[in-house]
Amino acid sequence: MSRPPEAGRASTGQKIEQAIEKAFDPLATALKRATTPPPKAAPGKPGLEISPLAVPFPTIPPIGGVEIATARAGFYKHERDDLVVFRFARGTTCAGVFTRHKIGSAPVDWCKRQLDADGGGQDVRALVVNAGCANAFTGKAGADAARRTASEVAKRFGCRQRDVMLASTGVIGVVLDERKIVARMPDIEAGLDADAWARAGLAIMTTDTFPKGSYAECEIEGRKVRIAGIAKGSGMIAPDMATMLGFIVTDAAIAPPVLRALLGLHVRTTFNSVTVDGDTSTNDTCLLFATGASGAPRIGRVGDRRLKGFSEALDKVMLDLAHQLVRDGEGATKFVKVTVDGAASPASARKLAKSIADSPLVKTALAGEDANWGRVVMAVGKTEEPVDRDSLAIRFGPHVAAVDGAPAPNYDEAKMSAYMKNAEIDITVDVGSGRASATVWTCDLTKRYVEINGDYRS
């Protein structure tokens, strides 16, 4: 391998050396990959490697009004924590958004029923999350297991069972054995800690390769308010609210209707704007809790101006967590931002962006670092959304591929191919039909995705 040329004109020998290196670049790349040590093993499941797009878990300080504990209940055969319990202070409010999958899980049904009831979300005292068993498509037996879980935890924490939220993730079609959870409750109670966010992030993982967390601060009338969240998700990700779970806690004091409005507002451009494989889960759940422990004044009206800073901080946390889902997409090596401009309506822009982001042909081209922008043209045209073919423009990062419905006159295949080697890629498409725009984040589709899902239950 040649050394980098020194400043100034390269010598004849250097030029020859560079030419040889360029000619044998594929061989050199293959040799480098063969000799590079493999990535560190992921903590969630044996055999998985940490995503090359992984980001470190942030420092999350204690959030007033919440304690967390984790334990190994045994839903997984291998040694790992797979149970998380949050205990909240009295008066904690809650709101949630859930999958619109036609076959929702028992814990999804439970949470929706409690939050939709009169007075729901007014005094939530606990959240119980298990990994390794989705308790979905389990009929009455699954519903009974969810109810018994809530009842047992409520007895322990001195609250009503309706004040216990539930979430599960894992294999579909297996009834939850709540006895495994109940048996670990003494350990959970003894281990409750305000500083356990990282452990919680690890315990809710399934095929995730790294724990996902986020943190932000803001002020409400001069009082500092904290917002922290964790999420899990790696495959079956196309949230319609993926195997997506997200739990966000703030020490602000906010009424349930306001929490619902804020969560609904931001979920559309965060969790509902990411896709890994286009599949929506039976268990998608995002819950937002407000303990009121910050001492900031309580906000009970959606239009309150004091919400502005909080709303922005909440959006930051949710978008960060959503991006981490994509970065941990099963087998992913590329983090991809897809933006559609010039659409007839926001809904149309969103459908067009999703079509590009979900296309297996687009995603495999990204995996192969192939500058085949014609696949983007295909994904746009198949949607039946309003598109002006003769105005269509496509750009990959700063490189223009097409303008006015035709290949760009100055299109440079070499520069485009070089850009495709980046770990983060931006695709921008203008469909020339209006002024609306939308952004969706996705990842590539690699052979590793097939391998991971081919042995998911083993």
Side-chain angles (χ1 to χ4, degrees), residues 229-246:
I230 56 173
K232 65 82 49 188
S234 186
M236 205 186 290
I237 298 291
D240 188 17
M241 26 108 251
T243 313
M244 201 290 291
L245 299 180

Side-chain angles (χ1 to χ4, degrees), residues 157-179:
F157 289 175
C159 63
R160 302 168 299 180
Q161 65 180 29
R162 64 174 290 178
D163 298 327
V164 177
M165 297 292 106
L166 306 174
S168 299
T169 182
V171 176
I172 294 171
V174 178
V175 177
L176 181 76
D177 183 355
E178 82 283 354
R179 293 171 299 179

Side-chain angles (χ1 to χ4, degrees), residues 205-234:
M205 292 166 54
T206 51
T207 59
D208 303 63
T209 71
F210 65 91
K212 302 161 186 66
S214 189
Y215 175 76
E217 295 179 354
C218 64
E219 288 191 357
I220 297 179
E221 284 198 354
R223 290 274 191 164
K224 182 168 71 173
V225 168
R226 293 172 168 174
I227 307 173
I230 56 173
K232 65 82 49 188
S234 186

Side-chain angles (χ1 to χ4, degrees), residues 220-415:
I220 297 179
E221 284 198 354
R223 290 274 191 164
K224 182 168 71 173
V225 168
R226 293 172 168 174
I227 307 173
I230 56 173
K232 65 82 49 188
S234 186
M236 205 186 290
I237 298 291
D240 188 17
M241 26 108 251
T243 313
M244 201 290 291
L245 299 180
F247 310 112
I248 305 163
V249 182
T250 177
D251 55 8
I254 302 177
V258 182
L259 288 182
R260 285 195 293 271
L262 289 169
L263 196 56
L265 171 67
H266 294 303
V267 76
R268 181 175 179 80
T269 55
T270 59
F271 291 122
N272 278 359
S273 290
V274 297
T275 178
V276 167
D277 49 22
D279 283 337
T280 299
S281 168
T282 55
N283 289 58
D284 295 351
T285 297
C286 182
L287 294 168
L288 173 59
F289 303 88
T291 69
S294 67
R298 180 179 174 87
I299 296 179
R301 188 170 58 85
V302 173
D304 196 313
R305 294 179 181 178
R306 294 173 296 178
L307 277 175
K308 185 177 184 298
F310 179 85
S311 180
E312 292 172 351
L314 176 62
D315 180 71
K316 178 182 177 182
V317 167
M318 291 174 65
L319 186 59
D320 184 17
L321 292 173
H323 284 181
Q324 291 184 54
L325 300 181
V326 173
R327 289 183 174 277
D328 203 15
E330 290 171 339
T333 64
K334 307 286 186 185
F335 178 74
V336 186
K337 178 181 179 181
V338 179
T339 301
V340 169
D341 295 322
S345 68
S348 180
R350 179 178 170 79
K351 288 181 182 178
L352 287 159
K354 285 274 287 180
S355 180
I356 298 168
D358 278 335
S359 167
L361 288 178
V362 172
K363 291 160 73 70
T364 49
L366 291 164
E369 299 179 344
D370 180 10
N372 189 351
W373 54 268
R375 292 183 174 180
V376 175
V377 175
M378 174 279 301
V380 168
K382 74 177 184 178
T383 63
E384 299 185 358
E385 291 299 312
V387 173
D388 185 344
R389 183 191 63 185
D390 296 331
S391 297
L392 190 68
I394 300 172
R395 191 173 71 247
F396 279 59
H399 307 293
V400 179
V403 291
D404 297 329
N410 59 346
Y411 175 68
D412 190 322
E413 178 78 11
K415 288 183 178 179

Side-chain angles (χ1 to χ4, degrees), residues 65 88-92 122-125 157-159 291:
F88 300 106
R90 291 187 182 279
T92 294
Q122 292 285 359
D123 186 18
V124 173
R125 300 297 309 284
F157 289 175
C159 63
T291 69

